[in-house]
Amino acid sequence: DFVIIGLMCFQLQPILPLQLPQVAADAEFSNLPFLGWALSGLGAFFVRRGGGAVQPDPALRAKVGCVFQSGRPLEVFLEGLRSRGRRQLRLRTGLLKALRDIAQRTVALVPLAMSYELLPDDESMFREMCGLPRDPLRTSDLFFWVLRGIRGELPPIGEAFMRFGNAQILESSSDLDSVVSAVQRELVSNNSLTTLHCQALQEVLQKPDLDKVI
């Protein structure tokens, strides 16, 4: 997801003055051979899940402070992890706490909802929903997936959609729970529903005219 967002910012630069964002990526990526080094070189920094949710995390605050002082946008996935059932996950507040304390001025939070018709890792997510352990991240898996894409061996996965929501204001006096709730509402309202999704729901519910109703 963060690669797609970075490419979008790069492609829109002739039209909109969008700087490439610095990405807050999961610390698991930092241990991947080559990929962790490449992501770091592209401006990503790595955070540990749950590190600042209960009490301040000095390492997280230092990293967020460096990014904020650079003046570049900060890209963060507040869910903290992927939804295995495509449901909206409750947003986390640890990074926003650090940002609120460090910024000492008004910060705009711009929700960006990403919707996919199909996911490349639907099969692995289904296994996890069945109670099997999650497959570990491996650089080799990404390499072979890209190679299959170059060869044209990947099945079609439909379209992807990105929609911006209304910006939410984060100030030093802001109530984080209220801000996060507002961001979550924007994400939910900007999800994209396609004909493919309606057809899949129609098959599950066995409603032949569901696509016409929706």
Side-chain angles (χ1 to χ4, degrees):
D1 292 348
F2 52 75
V3 174
I4 294 176
I5 295 174
L7 288 174
M8 178 200 69
C9 293
F10 179 77
Q11 291 177 341
L12 290 179
Q13 277 187 339
I15 305 173
L16 299 173
L18 296 175
Q19 290 183 292
L20 291 178
Q22 289 195 255
V23 182
D26 191 285
E28 189 176 5
F29 284 98
S30 65
N31 299 320
L32 296 178
F34 177 74
L35 187 59
W37 169 82
L39 291 175
S40 181
L42 292 172
F45 66 99
F46 304 103
V47 297
R48 178 171 50 87
R49 288 177 183 167
V54 179
Q55 58 185 1
D57 184 343
L60 176 62
R61 291 170 62 90
K63 292 174 182 177
V64 172
C66 289
V67 174
F68 189 78
Q69 293 299 324
S70 72
R72 288 174 58 182
L74 173 61
E75 177 185 339
V76 57
F77 297 88
L78 294 177
E79 300 91 340
L81 71 163
R82 297 281 298 277
S83 170
R84 297 319 182 206
R86 292 204 179 196
R87 295 182 176 88
Q88 285 281 334
L89 299 178
R90 183 176 180 179
L91 304 185
R92 304 188 178 194
T93 59
L95 192 140
L96 292 183
K97 285 180 181 177
L99 181 59
R100 181 189 61 182
D101 296 342
I102 291 171
Q104 296 298 315
R105 61 184 175 89
T106 301
V107 176
L109 305 178
V110 183
L112 174 58
M114 300 187 67
S115 307
Y116 299 89
E117 288 193 313
L118 297 173
L119 296 174
D121 50 354
D122 262 349
E123 184 177 346
S124 64
M125 286 190 174
F126 178 75
R127 292 199 302 269
E128 291 181 45
M129 292 175 65
C130 292
L132 299 175
R134 181 174 72 89
D135 295 332
L137 295 177
R138 289 186 290 260
T139 303
S140 58
D141 290 343
L142 175 63
F143 173 78
F144 287 118
W145 185 80
V146 172
L147 185 60
R148 289 180 60 200
I150 294 174
R151 292 175 176 174
E153 298 173 354
L154 293 176
I157 58 174
E159 297 182 299
F161 302 88
M162 289 189 290
R163 298 177 63 184
F164 288 99
N166 295 319
Q168 304 299 314
I169 300 301
L170 178 66
E171 299 176 310
S172 58
S173 59
S174 295
D175 177 70
L176 281 182
D177 290 334
S178 298
V179 173
V180 166
S181 295
V183 170
Q184 186 119 50
R185 287 194 295 270
E186 289 295 318
L187 293 175
V188 172
S189 63
N190 282 284
N191 273 328
S192 298
L193 183 67
T194 71
T195 302
L196 179 62
H197 296 140
C198 295
Q199 291 173 345
L201 183 60
Q202 172 186 320
E203 293 180 7
V204 171
L205 299 180
Q206 297 180 349
K207 300 288 186 180
D209 296 326
L210 182 63
D211 55 340
K212 297 178 182 179
V213 175
I214 296 180

